[in-house]
Amino acid sequence: MIEMKDVWKTYPNGVMAVNGLTVYIQKGEFVYVVGPSGAGKSTFIKMMYREERPTRGDILINSQNLRLMKERHVPYLRRDIGVVFQDFKLLPSMTVFENVAFAMEVIEAGRDDIRKRVMNVLDIVRLKNKARFMPHELSGGEQQRVAIARAIVNSPAVLIADEPTGNLDPDTSWEIMHILEEINERGTTVVMATHNRSIVNNMRKRVIAIEGGRISRDEVRGAYGYES
Amino acid sequence: MKARTVGRHIKEGGKNIVRNGWMTFASVSAVTVMLLVVGAFLMVILNVNHFADSLESDVEVRVFVDREAEAPEQEELEESIGTIHQVEDVEFIPRDEGLENFIESLGEQGDYFENLRDENPLNDVFVVQAADPQDTELVAEEIDSLSYVDDIEYGSDIFEQLFAATDFVRIVGLVLIVGLLFTAVFLIANTIKLTIMARKTEIQIMKLVGATNSFIRWPFFIEGLLLGVFGAAIPIILLTYGYQRFYDSIGTATGLEFFNFLPANPLILQTSVLLLVIGAVVGVWGSLMSVRKFLRI
């Protein structure tokens, strides 16, 4: 599913973010990526959806090599990868429904498909009754659920979440985690970068710890393992 | 591309125009001013070209043949003129025909000269045209040195000055047009840049969910195109009206018998189409410039 072989990333300013990282993530896995700030987590995540290109080494997603991938093929890769951010990145001028539908419109899905599928994913994140609300009328947790709905609306094989609970209180964070778990149970691979010790320790999954641009620990049902 | 997608792009492009309010106004104004100047200059240049053409075709050497010359000597002279290699065309006008033309050109007053038919005072004439009007003087000098030439007549210095003037107008016009063109392109590029800044998150999300670059670009193309085309509207209206008025008042009353201004039709149509095309090209070019830089998100 996701395979990284001896991947290195050095930024043009000389920062060596990732230094010889090798990892294999299987289809249907749920993986936490933990590590101190500046350890290379973000770069690791960004390389998965080809926001950053590795300097050396191969990244294979569904057997496509991202390092060799042509720029014009990147959009098609991204259709198979959903991304959720800490700051939601919703469009403030659009309703909940439109925000989610936007992801389908821009890949030119049909109108009927869009209506059906958007209501379907809003149901999964339990926001069907708020389809006509504007983002500012929602709580932070609800906004993140909209962002998740948008990320999965095109049925990607992988869902990448970069600190999805970073801006949320503990109760709301658990809401989000249950939704991510449910999505994972439906067969989507979930890769989640996080600093949230309590979540990692209480919802045990595979933990990949990154330090100094390398994997320092990789446990099947791991704990957070850092003082936070 | 699906029809619905085309509709979406046009709607989005239009929305950007409205959303950018003042900046749209500024760049449309810039295109308007530019196209107004370009259009006016085009009309001047086309007329100057037309003037030069009329002038050039009118540049000829009239060779008055010695009245003593007999037919074989005339033929000899015609042959000698023909062998000058800058000469393109030699036309013989016998003196009888010359007189006929003269009397006819005077209309009723020509009747007073009817009695000249008995004693024709005119010479036989060769009308000689040089292949390149600029060589006229050279040709005239060579012909002057031939035998049986009584006299020659041709426009001299004045033509050279006129040719220099028309060239000057053409060059200044072109430089000005090109300069204004670039100004307009940059203004449009700036407007589009503003749109792109305002829609940065939107574009980022589009990229993340897998929109192709061309899909993202289209609304900006359309915005640029609309800016250019809107900018062409006022110049087209003003120049159409203005030239029509101008032509109606002095188009054919130039006081020069060999030159009239170009008729309003098709000049206006040609200029309008050209302005529309320039507007569209400038608009799309401007949007291309800013989109290319900013799409790497």
Side-chain angles (χ1 to χ4, degrees):
Chain A
M1 178 80 241
I2 303 172
E3 200 177 351
M4 296 202 183
K5 284 185 274 188
D6 192 26
V7 169
W8 296 68
K9 174 69 185 180
T10 307
Y11 285 101
N13 62 7
V15 173
M16 293 165 73
V18 170
N19 309 304
L21 194 149
T22 299
V23 72
Y24 183 74
I25 297 171
Q26 266 183 314
K27 186 169 166 45
E29 274 197 272
F30 193 120
V31 181
Y32 292 119
V33 180
V34 301
S37 303
K41 276 197 319 282
S42 281
T43 305
F44 174 73
I45 292 276
K46 281 180 181 166
M47 283 193 294
M48 274 189 220
Y49 58 92
R50 239 311 301 275
E51 169 120 14
E52 295 294 346
R53 213 192 269 262
T55 320
R56 191 142 68 80
D58 291 316
I59 301 176
L60 288 103
I61 292 192
N62 289 334
S63 2
Q64 303 174 81
N65 193 327
L66 266 52
R67 190 173 52 86
L68 306 174
M69 181 175 273
K70 290 198 176 96
E71 204 58 48
R72 67 192 155 88
H73 290 144
V74 172
Y76 303 96
L77 166 81
R78 299 241 174 105
R79 291 175 192 193
D80 215 21
I81 300 175
V83 189
V84 176
F85 300 94
Q86 182 172 1
D87 60 354
F88 323 137
K89 293 198 197 296
L90 298 179
L91 298 170
S93 59
M94 292 183 184
T95 65
V96 167
F97 181 91
E98 287 165 346
N99 262 288
V100 179
F102 184 70
M104 290 186 80
E105 275 166 16
V106 300
I107 63 166
E108 301 183 57
R111 197 190 292 268
D112 293 340
D113 275 358
I114 293 179
R115 175 161 299 278
K116 237 183 277 170
R117 179 71 189 149
V118 171
M119 289 322 278
N120 190 355
V121 291
L122 283 179
D123 195 28
I124 294 175
V125 300
R126 296 174 200 93
L127 280 174
K128 211 172 175 179
N129 56 337
K130 297 203 166 170
R132 292 184 187 286
F133 281 50
M134 301 303 282
H136 69 87
E137 296 170 312
L138 305 178
S139 70
E142 286 169 330
Q143 290 187 40
Q144 189 60 296
R145 273 144 63 191
V146 177
I148 292 172
R150 183 180 62 196
I152 61 169
V153 75
N154 288 323
S155 313
V158 185
L159 177 63
I160 293 172
D162 195 356
E163 309 255 10
T165 60
N167 282 350
L168 305 174
D169 62 61
D171 284 350
T172 318
S173 297
W174 277 109
E175 244 174 64
I176 298 295
M177 289 315 297
H178 289 308
I179 287 169
L180 290 180
E181 194 172 38
E182 193 182 323
I183 291 165
N184 176 241
E185 278 161 9
R186 285 167 188 255
T188 308
T189 309
V190 177
V191 179
M192 170 176 160
T194 185
H195 277 126
N196 194 318
R197 155 192 292 273
S198 112
I199 284 175
V200 176
N201 288 341
N202 288 298
M203 192 187 267
R204 288 291 172 116
K205 304 283 182 192
R206 179 176 173 189
V207 173
I208 296 174
I210 297 182
E211 266 177 283
R214 291 169 193 273
I215 293 184
S216 61
R217 186 159 56 90
D218 187 347
E219 294 167 348
V220 179
R221 289 177 68 80
Y224 188 76
Y226 295 97
E227 294 304 319
S228 56
Chain B
M1 205 189 308
K2 292 182 188 171
R4 203 162 69 81
T5 309
V6 175
R8 179 193 179 275
H9 291 328
I10 294 172
K11 209 175 76 189
E12 289 296 314
K15 242 198 254 171
N16 290 347
I17 292 235
V18 176
R19 192 183 309 208
N20 277 341
W22 283 106
M23 202 56 202
T24 295
F25 179 74
S27 48
V28 169
S29 310
V31 178
T32 300
V33 171
M34 171 203 78
L35 288 181
L36 204 56
V37 176
V38 169
F41 251 94
L42 261 172
M43 286 175 160
V44 170
I45 287 176
L46 286 173
N47 270 301
V48 164
N49 273 346
H50 174 60
F51 177 72
D53 284 348
S54 321
L55 204 62
E56 285 172 1
S57 63
D58 214 50
V59 178
E60 57 191 23
V61 182
R62 297 178 80 82
V63 182
F64 299 93
V65 182
D66 201 324
R67 287 171 67 90
E68 307 296 309
E70 301 291 330
E73 289 145 358
Q74 279 187 2
E75 267 169 45
E76 194 186 313
L77 177 59
E78 182 166 8
E79 221 167 277
S80 323
I81 294 173
T83 54
I84 300 173
H85 79 267
Q86 290 95 336
V87 168
E88 187 180 62
D89 186 44
V90 184
E91 194 194 348
F92 180 65
I93 301 173
R95 61 175 112 168
D96 294 340
E97 195 185 320
L99 183 65
E100 196 67 42
N101 289 346
F102 175 67
I103 290 172
E104 236 167 70
S105 72
L106 292 176
E108 281 187 11
Q109 292 168 337
D111 296 344
Y112 299 116
F113 298 94
E114 282 292 342
N115 57 351
L116 286 179
R117 287 185 197 278
D118 304 330
E119 186 76 35
N120 190 339
L122 300 182
N123 298 55
D124 292 322
V125 173
F126 286 112
V127 178
V128 180
Q129 256 177 333
D132 184 344
Q134 319 260 7
D135 288 335
T136 304
E137 193 172 352
L138 206 81
V139 170
E141 274 165 15
E142 275 201 50
I143 293 174
D144 205 14
S145 66
L146 298 172
S147 25
Y148 309 113
V149 174
D150 186 24
D151 196 9
I152 57 166
E153 227 181 62
Y154 69 99
S156 50
D157 288 357
I158 184 81
F159 287 118
E160 279 177 26
Q161 285 170 16
L162 274 169
F163 288 138
T166 54
D167 277 350
F168 180 72
V169 171
R170 280 181 231 189
I171 290 165
V172 169
L174 276 178
V175 168
L176 207 69
I177 286 171
V178 171
L180 282 163
L181 219 94
F182 277 104
T183 315
V185 167
F186 276 107
L187 268 156
I188 288 180
N190 264 322
T191 310
I192 306 263
K193 207 190 305 184
L194 226 76
T195 311
I196 293 175
M197 296 295 215
R199 312 201 118 185
K200 220 168 170 172
T201 330
E202 207 169 315
I203 293 172
Q204 195 184 4
I205 292 165
M206 285 166 102
K207 296 207 78 165
L208 282 176
V209 298
T212 56
N213 277 348
S214 72
F215 185 92
I216 298 172
R217 260 185 228 125
W218 268 105
F220 299 111
F221 279 169
I222 288 167
E223 184 183 355
L225 187 76
L226 288 177
L227 290 176
V229 170
F230 287 165
I234 293 174
I236 287 174
I237 294 168
L238 284 182
L239 290 172
T240 301
Y241 179 75
Y243 195 79
Q244 193 77 56
R245 289 290 303 264
F246 169 79
Y247 187 76
D248 285 348
S249 57
I250 53 166
T252 49
T254 53
L256 297 169
E257 58 178 292
F258 64 92
F259 173 72
N260 289 329
F261 284 100
L262 288 166
N265 225 339
L267 177 71
I268 286 175
L269 188 71
Q270 290 163 344
T271 314
S272 302
V273 170
L274 201 64
L275 290 186
L276 214 56
V277 171
I278 294 177
V281 168
V282 162
V284 170
W285 187 4
S287 71
L288 261 175
M289 275 190 20
S290 45
V291 169
R292 199 177 29 189
K293 252 186 258 163
F294 281 79
L295 216 56
R296 302 203 45 111
I297 299 171

